[in-house]
Amino acid sequence: MGNKPLILIAICTRKLAVFEANCARGIAQLSFPAGYRYELLLVENRRVHSGDLNPIGVDIPVRCVLQRQLGLSSARNRVFTEAQKCNADWLALLDDDVVPMDSWLDEYVRAIQSMPDAKLFHGQYWYRFPNGYSLATERDPDSFEAVIKKPVRFGGGNLMMHKSLYSVHGVRFDPRFDGCGSEDIDLRHQAAECGIDAVPVPRAVIQEEITTLRATFASGFHRKLDAGVSGIVMLKKYSSTLAFSVGILMQLPRRFIHLLRHWSRVVKATSIRAENRDEILDLAIADLAVFLGLILGLCGYRGTYYSRNEE
């Protein structure tokens, strides 16, 4: 038993109740392929525990640790520390508000076995909209087969990575992205600089419901604004001062012209009462939010959407 590779499934959460209402339901239904050992790790990112963890319904070791330093990067980097402590061979990352499909782990194990040289895999997100809509999130098809045919999104809430990424190459989540997001894109960039490409696994699907606050216009606008901010943070991190200045001088005018074109389409669509005028307006508003985010990022704003404040 001890010679089998260990896969550590890790989830960061602010409230155990959120995990239990979403991710835990999917984990309870997972198929655990033979030939591996499995453990489940929960990192609760708050000053004190929010409560006792209820039984999940899986016959694998389960641990819950408290990470008192608040922030998404702090919580996820604690996962790396715990993975090293238990000498996990592979680390699977899930968000607390997603539900992995029954075959999620099977698909990742199949990918690991069929591509032994790959060190980083990412699965597909399936966004569900029971009600409302999101300015920031594209609507997905209603069928599984249609979802897996789409380009596979890359996100920190659906990853499988080999221990060499964080143990040998020192890949970490960067706290500079805690306020604006895109910390997962930065992680992928770090891996690429180490010569490690992210391999898509279309059938390793997690479902995420876009409900309550995330389905509001204000939330969508805020996320798009933070996307603009993260663009500035990313450019500053990976560019020299000269390259950054030249890039901004070239890109901002282009983005502004693009924005004007979007809003001219809105005016035209509204004047002729086009059937897709609402969709055109949404695209223009989203583009405006990103542009404003770029400007705010240049002024030093670092976003607040992913900020973690004690409740």
Side-chain angles (χ1 to χ4, degrees), residues 9 23 28 40 46 60 75 81 91 113 137 142 147 153 158 162 191 205 208 221 235 240 244 258 271 275 288 294:
I9 303 170
C23 192
L40 180 65
R46 54 189 299 123
I60 62 173
T81 300
L91 172 63
Q113 294 174 339
T137 307
D142 291 329
V147 167
R153 300 177 172 101
N158 190 6
H162 188 259
V205 177
E208 183 172 357
F221 188 89
L235 191 59
S240 66
F244 175 80
H258 184 70
S271 64
E275 291 185 1
L288 173 63
L294 292 171

Side-chain angles (χ1 to χ4, degrees), residues 78-285:
R78 175 65 182 275
V79 167
F80 292 148
T81 300
E82 296 298 322
Q84 288 177 301
K85 286 181 180 179
C86 67
N87 197 27
D89 297 278
W90 287 91
L91 172 63
L93 285 177
L94 285 169
D95 282 338
D96 61 352
D97 58 353
V98 306
V99 180
M101 299 197 70
D102 299 2
S103 59
W104 173 78
L105 198 51
D106 284 299
E107 297 299 334
Y108 271 134
V109 168
R110 189 173 292 115
I112 290 170
Q113 294 174 339
S114 63
M115 291 174 277
D117 293 331
K119 304 299 181 185
L120 177 61
F121 298 95
H122 63 107
Q124 182 65 289
Y125 283 74
W126 187 359
Y127 293 122
R128 313 304 296 269
F129 292 80
N131 50 64
Y133 87 111
S134 171
L135 184 69
T137 307
E138 177 187 0
R139 283 185 180 274
D140 280 334
D142 291 329
S143 73
F144 175 82
E145 293 302 323
V147 167
I148 62 175
K149 291 178 182 178
K150 297 187 62 177
V152 181
R153 300 177 172 101
F154 186 92
N158 190 6
L159 297 178
M160 178 71 77
M161 64 180 70
H162 188 259
K163 62 182 179 182
S164 59
L165 259 77
Y166 49 86
S167 296
V168 177
H169 299 290
V171 169
R172 292 293 185 273
F173 287 98
D174 192 329
R176 281 174 284 189
F177 296 93
D178 276 358
C180 58
S182 293
E183 75 292 333
D184 40 17
I185 304 303
D186 175 63
L187 183 93
R188 183 175 187 172
H189 195 288
Q190 292 179 54
E193 288 192 326
C194 299
I196 299 172
D197 294 326
V199 179
V201 184
R203 302 184 74 90
V205 177
I206 59 170
Q207 298 184 73
E208 183 172 357
E209 289 193 355
I210 308 300
T211 57
T212 60
L213 290 178
R214 290 188 63 187
T216 65
F217 172 84
S219 174
F221 188 89
H222 203 167
R223 289 190 66 139
K224 284 295 184 181
L225 186 143
D226 283 341
V229 174
S230 69
I232 296 297
V233 177
M234 194 80 69
L235 191 59
K236 281 187 174 181
K237 179 175 180 178
Y238 292 104
S239 303
S240 66
T241 302
L242 177 60
F244 175 80
S245 301
V246 172
I248 290 299
L249 289 173
M250 293 180 61
Q251 289 300 321
L252 275 184
R254 291 180 180 176
R255 293 298 303 240
F256 184 68
I257 292 172
H258 184 70
L259 180 63
L260 291 178
R261 287 175 178 169
H262 256 145
W263 282 96
S264 66
R265 290 183 62 204
V266 171
V267 172
K268 181 179 178 181
T270 302
S271 64
I272 64 174
R273 295 183 175 275
E275 291 185 1
N276 64 337
R277 61 184 181 274
D278 289 341
E279 178 183 345
I280 293 173
L281 176 61
D282 283 350
L283 290 174
I285 292 174

